[in-house]
Amino acid sequence: TTVEAVDQCSKITLDGQTDATVAVADKASGLALLTPAKPLSPPVFAEFQTGGRVGADVAVAGYSYEDRLPAPVLTFGRLEETAGLNGEPGLKRLSLDALAGDAGGPGVEPTGTVIGMLLPAATPAATGKQLPPGVHFAIAASEIAKVLAPTGSPALPGTRQGAIPPAELGDIGTGMTVLVSCWD
């Protein structure tokens, strides 16, 4: 998930049931790695793709409406650029209509491999700029791999070939996405 999502929590839960703690909070990338209090077995494990083709379709799985729905929502969009607006490496610029609850969700390309994790929307107060609607950024899979490497949980490289049907893409995206709740 994102550092911002768990930065000020006295308690963190996954899917409202399992307590978790922050194992790594990498403020430079915005990535927070959580450890559940008891072992979990997700239906899908993420496979990562470090590249990405500009103009490719993407889908972000996230809790757009936070805990109001029982499962993640898929938001479809496009990969616009493989760097930040000032050429910053490690970011991907996406064009999609994401909501705040989508931050921390995986961005998957048509084969179902993860190209990045959606970051919270930049606020004008923090950046001094108001970006156009639909402009969002994701931490690139290569950056996620760098943060995961020292933890002993390496990022699995993508092995899927060819685009998969939307229903299967939905199963992959939502199968690796969990509701993270922060309690004061």
Side-chain angles (χ1 to χ4, degrees):
T1 191
T2 66
V3 170
E4 184 178 281
V6 296
D7 200 27
Q8 302 294 318
C9 306
S10 61
K11 178 180 176 179
I12 301 167
T13 58
L14 306 176
D15 275 343
Q17 300 173 20
T18 304
D19 290 341
T21 57
V22 177
V24 175
D26 187 66
K27 291 191 187 265
S29 67
L31 177 71
L33 180 63
L34 304 179
T35 301
K38 63 181 180 181
L40 298 176
S41 182
V44 176
F45 287 91
E47 292 182 11
F48 293 86
Q49 184 188 118
T50 56
R53 184 177 53 81
V54 171
D57 291 333
V58 295
V60 171
Y63 281 86
S64 304
Y65 304 99
E66 299 174 7
D67 62 354
R68 290 188 168 170
L69 294 175
V73 171
L74 278 184
T75 302
F76 294 91
R78 187 174 52 250
L79 175 61
E80 295 291 345
E81 192 173 7
T82 57
L85 290 173
N86 294 311
E88 304 93 331
L91 291 176
K92 297 198 184 270
R93 181 168 55 93
L94 308 178
S95 172
L96 49 83
D97 289 324
L99 298 175
D102 294 319
V108 296
E109 50 91 46
T111 66
T113 57
V114 175
I115 62 163
M117 181 193 77
L118 191 68
L119 293 168
T123 62
T127 64
K129 304 216 181 293
Q130 176 69 46
L131 296 176
V135 175
H136 294 276
F137 295 93
I139 176 178
S142 58
E143 293 300 306
I144 295 171
K146 287 178 190 175
V147 174
L148 290 177
T151 70
S153 298
L156 301 174
T159 58
R160 298 183 181 100
Q161 299 292 315
I164 58 176
E168 189 176 336
L169 185 64
D171 291 343
I172 289 171
T174 60
M176 69 176 90
T177 305
V178 63
L179 177 65
V180 176
S181 299
C182 174
W183 306 93
D184 293 329

